[in-house]
Amino acid sequence: MTPAQKNKTVIVIVGPTAVGKTTVAIDIATRLNTEIISVDSRQCYKELKIGVATPSDEDLQRVTHHFITSHSIHQEVTAADFEQYALQKAEEIFKKKDCLVMAGGTGLYVKAFCEGLDEIPAVDAGIRNLIIKNYVEKGMAWLQAEVKIKDPAFYEAGEILNPQRMMRALEVREATGKSILEFRTGKKADRNFQIVKIGLELPKEELHRNINARVDKMMRQGLMQEASSLLPYRNLNALQTVGYTEMFDYLDGKISLQQAIELIKIHTRQYAKRQMTWFKKDKEIYWFSPASQSILSFLSAASLSGELNVDSNH
């Protein structure tokens, strides 16, 4: 970023899955006549649509989105890749706009963009692929046991229900002989733009209803058929995702269709809880109901120093 961009602003909208981030982000981006950078680690894959709740074609036409269907499941996309991608897009957008909206629920990607990431040595693809293969074949219990044995420090402090984070910890241990925690310095990168973080939350019962309704809608839209078409690529990292793994088990005959649907709902609710745990640790986030008109007032007020003119009558 150039010094001239120090008066630019990124509005980051976060929260759990199915809370309504897309609707709020499009509303704000429309009022500000700007663009959206998605911060979702699965919606970036062009082969995935129904199972990751990619915004509708209508939504994508209303506001220009970035990091939506921008990559292939055959590409390895990391938080570091997202950081580089999003900073480049932000620079491009800031050449014509004073602000941009970033929206999504992948906490590590939000952190990468806002604060930067600690330097972790590159991991050989062979190590990563072997860990993924073992996880797919042996399941979560194997993965948790391996992490507990090989990186007990991460096991005690980490997310032991998040397979991606555990596989990452395991591959770093295998590649470097060190715990991934040893690479975390906590030093934040300097960004030459303002960052305003808005969190969206709902009462648990309402969020769970939204999640259940979304899964039912995915099934009506053809999630099972989408998963079936992706079956040959099930071992790719992009497919180690709630919605697809359960459908693969159904297609393998391991569980019934009704069991698969119920498991997707359970696992999505568990994921939403982990997202909230992550975001609630960030004291820079201001929390609102997704339907709250206070969001617009907040953006128009002191937090943005009056630099953004949010049209609340748009």
Side-chain angles (χ1 to χ4, degrees):
M1 294 292 168
T2 65
Q5 291 172 332
K6 287 184 177 180
N7 62 341
K8 305 296 186 178
T9 302
V10 178
I11 301 168
V12 182
I13 301 171
V14 300
T17 187
V19 77
K21 296 183 293 295
T22 296
T23 299
V24 172
I26 289 175
D27 181 40
I28 293 173
T30 301
R31 294 174 189 276
L32 294 170
N33 187 29
T34 191
E35 303 175 11
I36 296 172
I37 299 177
S38 167
V39 57
D40 187 297
S41 64
R42 290 302 181 259
Q43 290 180 356
C44 65
Y45 295 116
K46 59 187 177 184
E47 295 89 349
L48 311 184
K49 184 173 184 180
I50 298 171
V52 296
T54 297
S56 67
D57 292 340
E58 181 184 4
D59 287 339
L60 295 175
Q61 288 167 4
R62 288 178 62 194
V63 176
T64 299
H65 284 68
H66 304 278
F67 207 61
I68 295 281
T69 64
S70 54
H71 294 72
S72 169
I73 56 175
H74 301 286
Q75 294 174 265
E76 188 72 29
V77 181
T78 66
D81 294 327
F82 174 78
E83 178 187 8
Q84 184 177 12
Y85 174 99
L87 288 172
Q88 178 62 40
K89 286 298 179 185
E91 188 165 357
E92 293 172 11
I93 295 168
F94 283 151
K95 289 178 181 177
K96 52 190 176 180
K97 309 288 184 182
D98 287 333
C99 66
L100 66 87
V101 176
M102 175 173 282
T106 303
L108 186 60
Y109 283 22
V110 173
K111 181 180 185 297
F113 177 83
C114 295
E115 305 175 8
L117 293 170
D118 297 317
E119 287 289 332
I120 298 178
V123 173
D124 182 86
I127 293 175
R128 175 178 294 116
N129 292 337
L130 180 59
I131 290 171
I132 292 173
K133 179 175 182 291
N134 281 325
Y135 167 62
V136 169
E137 293 177 353
K138 302 175 185 178
M140 180 70 89
W142 171 84
L143 184 57
Q144 290 173 332
E146 284 290 291
V147 172
K148 187 174 183 179
I149 293 169
K150 295 182 177 178
D151 192 347
F154 177 85
Y155 184 86
E156 290 299 323
E159 298 180 52
I160 61 167
L161 294 177
N162 185 324
Q164 278 73 39
R165 300 293 300 282
M166 286 193 291
M167 285 191 284
R168 178 61 172 151
L170 201 54
E171 68 183 34
V172 170
R173 167 63 83 175
E174 296 283 9
T176 68
K178 297 180 180 179
S179 169
I180 194 171
L181 299 182
E182 295 182 51
F183 294 98
R184 295 181 179 174
T185 64
K187 183 180 179 182
K188 294 184 180 182
D190 291 327
R191 302 298 190 212
N192 285 344
F193 46 80
Q194 292 188 83
I195 297 173
V196 178
K197 297 178 184 175
I198 293 173
L200 303 180
E201 61 180 341
L202 287 168
K204 184 171 71 173
E205 296 77 11
E206 187 176 350
L207 182 65
H208 286 183
R209 284 197 298 271
N210 285 0
I211 289 170
N212 293 342
R214 173 180 282 185
V215 174
D216 290 336
K217 181 180 179 182
M218 287 176 175
M219 294 307 300
R220 293 193 300 270
Q221 291 176 325
L223 176 58
M224 182 177 69
Q225 291 79 5
E226 182 176 69
S228 180
S229 71
L230 294 165
L231 203 54
Y233 314 113
R234 64 189 299 170
N235 290 340
L236 295 177
N237 187 53
L239 272 299
Q240 310 308 309
T241 303
V242 174
Y244 296 104
T245 54
E246 297 84 355
M247 277 294 123
F248 293 153
D249 282 346
Y250 161 68
L251 292 168
D252 285 343
K254 295 179 181 178
I255 55 177
S256 70
L257 181 58
Q258 193 53 48
Q259 284 175 317
I261 294 169
E262 188 56 36
L263 283 173
I264 294 172
K265 293 177 179 178
I266 291 170
H267 294 158
T268 303
R269 294 196 296 265
Q270 291 171 341
Y271 176 58
K273 183 178 180 180
R274 293 197 300 273
Q275 287 176 300
M276 286 300 290
T277 298
W278 174 287
F279 289 125
K280 284 291 186 176
K281 292 177 181 176
D282 187 341
K283 301 308 178 186
E284 296 179 354
I285 296 175
Y286 295 85
W287 291 93
F288 298 90
S289 161
S292 175
Q293 291 300 308
S294 300
I295 297 174
L296 299 178
S297 301
F298 171 76
L299 291 175
S300 297
S303 62
L304 297 185
S305 306
E307 293 177 17
L308 292 182
N309 181 20
V310 181
D311 179 7
S312 59
N313 297 314
H314 186 90

